[in-house]
């Protein structure tokens, strides 16, 4: 088990959890850096290097949208402690990341803690066309790529037809420069961030895992980006030995 913990949840992720429970997000607040940045980025680099087929999906058809995500991110990163140059970005932990515009999500996966999913409208639904997903929570990227929202959420019990319509309306309605956000929070037995299958080994659930999920529209390609910033903390009163 790879244990990387934050000290606390952000204040806005400590309240009630609602589905879909969305709220407006600041135009530049879809990316964040927190106290687990260094450790999470080391883990992300390892996963991308050793298991790219599991955590990265980039195709030529989605390349324009993926490049636009990277460009948009680079406008935000200087405010988060990055030094961004013409072909390289220096991260808050001192790493220098070369910007590869032929593999933009590969580059972005080495820069930010967020997992990044790119969706484009095909017919009546948005389809997952590109992603860097290092920290999945009970889903596999290979099973979801090139799938619409309804198929992506199978077999989530709460994701019924009503919720599906509401989520699709969110993806249809999100406006450029006006992102939306929501969060979830679940108890876990295992603190490992990379859990394509949730591992519940016993009744003890000593960790709480929360995803801050943002939805934003790209101005040029009109693609929708879904970002996931994962926070894992030890439950209050749980011994550190667990």
């Amino acid at each position: 088990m790879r244990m990387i913990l934050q000290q606390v949840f952000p204040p806005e992720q400590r309240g009630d959890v609602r589905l879909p429970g969305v709220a407006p997000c600041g135009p530049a607040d879809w990316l964040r850096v927190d106290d687990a940045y260094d450790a999470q980025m080391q883990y992300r680099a390892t996963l991308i290097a050793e298991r790219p087929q599991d955590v990265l999906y980039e195709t030529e058809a989605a390349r324009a949208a993926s490049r636009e995500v990277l460009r948009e991110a680079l406008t935000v990163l200087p405010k988060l402690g990055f030094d961004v140059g013409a072909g390289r970005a220096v991260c808050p932990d001192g790493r220098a990341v070369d910007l590869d515009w032929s593999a933009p999500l590969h580059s972005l996966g080495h820069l930010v803690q967020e997992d990044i999913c790119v969706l484009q409208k095909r017919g009546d639904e948005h389809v997952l066309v590109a992603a860097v997903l290092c920290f999945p929570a009970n889903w596999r990227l290979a099973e979801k790529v090139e799938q619409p929202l309804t198929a992506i959420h199978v077999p989530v019990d709460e994701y019924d037809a009503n919720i599906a319509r509401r989520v699709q309306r969110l993806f249809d309605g999100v406006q450029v420069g006006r992102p939306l956000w929501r969060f979830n929070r679940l108890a876990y037995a295992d603190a490992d961030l990379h859990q394509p299958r949730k591992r519940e080994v016993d009744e003890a659930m000593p960790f709480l895992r929360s995803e801050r999920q943002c939805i934003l529209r790209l101005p040029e390609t009109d693609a929708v980006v879904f970002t996931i910033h994962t926070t894992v903390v030890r439950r209050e009163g749980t011994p550190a030995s667990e």
Side-chain angles (χ1 to χ4, degrees):
M1 176 177 72
R2 183 76 69 98
M3 187 180 298
I4 299 172
L5 304 178
Q6 282 93 340
Q7 293 297 312
V8 296
F9 286 133
E12 66 271 25
Q13 288 171 240
R14 301 173 194 169
D16 293 336
V17 178
R18 302 180 180 88
L19 183 66
V22 297
C25 171
D29 197 25
W30 54 282
L31 297 175
R32 289 186 174 184
V33 170
D34 64 29
D35 58 310
Y37 179 85
D38 294 18
Q40 283 198 1
M41 296 312 300
Q42 290 175 18
Y43 195 11
R44 294 178 70 84
T46 297
L47 289 166
I48 293 171
E50 297 180 356
R51 304 175 66 177
Q53 71 283 358
D54 295 328
V55 302
L56 189 63
Y57 183 74
E58 294 191 89
T59 66
E60 187 58 40
R63 195 80 69 206
S66 297
R67 287 176 179 146
E68 189 177 7
V69 179
L70 179 56
R71 287 198 303 271
E72 291 291 312
L74 293 175
T75 67
V76 174
L77 295 185
K79 302 171 186 176
L80 299 175
F82 293 75
D83 184 6
V84 177
R88 174 177 291 190
V90 179
C91 305
D93 58 3
R95 290 175 303 110
V97 176
D98 291 329
L99 304 177
D100 183 355
W101 294 98
S102 67
L105 295 188
H106 183 277
S107 296
L108 197 52
H110 287 86
L111 291 170
V112 300
Q113 289 174 261
E114 284 78 8
D115 285 319
I116 307 290
C117 298
V118 181
L119 298 99
Q120 293 180 314
K121 189 74 174 289
R122 294 180 183 171
D124 295 331
E125 291 192 81
H126 280 80
V127 173
L128 179 60
V129 296
V132 53
L133 182 78
C134 294
F135 302 152
N138 201 27
W139 62 290
R140 294 178 182 271
L141 181 59
E143 297 173 354
K144 306 299 183 179
V145 293
E146 304 299 337
Q147 297 295 316
L149 284 171
T150 50
I152 289 171
H153 285 88
V154 172
V156 179
D157 293 338
E158 296 88 350
Y159 200 85
D160 58 17
N162 180 54
I163 291 293
R165 286 192 295 269
R166 292 167 63 188
V167 172
Q168 184 57 57
R169 283 200 297 269
L170 288 175
F171 276 69
D172 286 338
V174 64
Q175 299 176 27
V176 173
R178 301 180 65 181
L180 303 169
W181 83 282
R182 68 171 298 272
F183 75 99
N184 60 25
R185 187 176 61 243
L186 295 170
Y188 272 69
D190 188 336
D192 197 340
L193 288 157
H194 182 77
Q195 290 200 50
R197 291 289 182 266
K198 188 174 181 180
R199 301 188 288 270
E200 296 181 358
V201 296
D202 53 41
E203 294 183 359
M205 297 293 229
F207 305 103
L208 289 175
R209 176 173 177 145
S210 179
E211 294 180 339
R212 182 179 187 267
Q213 304 168 348
C214 295
I215 305 170
L216 62 146
R217 184 175 299 281
L218 299 177
E220 295 179 11
T221 60
D222 202 43
V224 174
V225 181
F226 182 76
T227 71
I228 308 166
H229 188 112
T230 302
T231 302
V232 181
V233 303
R234 190 179 298 279
R235 297 183 77 171
E236 187 174 350
T238 302
S241 60
E242 291 188 342

